[in-house]
Amino acid sequence: MTRRTALQGFGAAAIAGLSTGASPVLSGTSLQSIAGERQMLFGAAVSAAHLRDPAFRDAVIREVGALTAEIEMKWSYVQPEAGMFDFADADIVANFAQAHQKRLHGHTLLWHRSVPQWAVDDWRAKPEWRLVEAFVGAMMTRYHGVESWDVVNEPMGVGERSGALRSSVYLDAFGPGYVAKAFHTARRHAPAAILCLNEFGLEYDTPEHSQKREGLLRLLKDLRRDEVPIDAVGIQAHLDLASQPAFNPDLFADFLNALGSMGFQVRISELDVKEADLQLPLEERDRRVAEAASRFLQVALANKAVGSVTCWGLSDKYSWLDETRANRGLPLDERFQPKLFRQAIAEALSWRGVPASTSGNKDN
Ligand code: XIL
């Protein structure tokens, strides 16, 4: 079977299977085992508070190969006041990862939404990079076992500014060169780490997403030209049924190809699905969520530059999607039972190719 026919087969089989609510395939095999057979990682964002729940811990231990701290490594969390660092909660996540032999992805060094107020105030008077330098250095030194870091998170603009850098406290203080500067700073502190730029709003066929894809590719090209040390691009993939944007597989595949041909590794870094209609029967809701994930993943995983899939959470019990926790946008339900979304991930990972040891078919 050629790769293309394999993928077409995947699309039809997956969606047919999902729509009939077939029993979850591979439910006895963890998502990380399936991913691992394809030299991939399956990850989830977790938070220190949620790790206190034994059922959640068990689910994470069972399913996941890599952890991302949902909030605990962000600057305003670690350094709420000038001159003091509080690593207690970040340590909980890091120690849990270490105790259970999970990898840890560092998230996130520069993010406009996590700059502590004291730094914002300081920079109004006098922009000083040494504050960034101190935070980046502290994090990368303490968590030196972290293999990959989001160095700059969400640098691109929104709305009419989607093709350009967003206006932010970083842009105001340091100008557009702050992105390159951040990667050079990170590289000095972690010579061997995989340094990532992480962004949202890249997957749909809307003018805003198109502009952002194009703008990001332009930015990345400039960074490459200037030999800025950046290794990977994170595509957050907060999928959205609510505003019903169109997903065009060819457009998204072209974008992934462009990233791959520039030599970037690609991470699907924050996958979840925001639901549109919470009044529908549960089965239909779960089917729609899984189908959206399935359509997205079959394109993403067809590209060999994509090396990992991380969900932004694991269970609907702990999801940032809405405060009431009504959204069913993660692979496990609120009682940690697998849903069709989990099946969609398992199938997408499986269809990525049968391990060489069992298939002997390199084209698959
Ligand atoms: C979110 C967390 O999930 C929330 O708990 C927190 O209050 C705000 O940040 N993109 C990102 C993540 O890169 O860091 C965000 O996480 C979700 C959007």
Side-chain angles (χ1 to χ4, degrees), residues 322-335:
D322 63 46
E323 288 304 316
T324 62
R325 306 285 178 246
N327 214 291
R328 292 172 68 86
L330 287 167
L332 307 183
D333 72 11
E334 69 290 352
R335 290 178 301 116

Side-chain angles (χ1 to χ4, degrees), residues 338-355:
K339 297 185 304 178
L340 283 179
F341 187 177
R342 184 194 180 283
Q343 181 181 353
I345 299 171
E347 286 183 349
L349 289 168
S350 304
W351 273 89
R352 187 169 213 222
V354 178

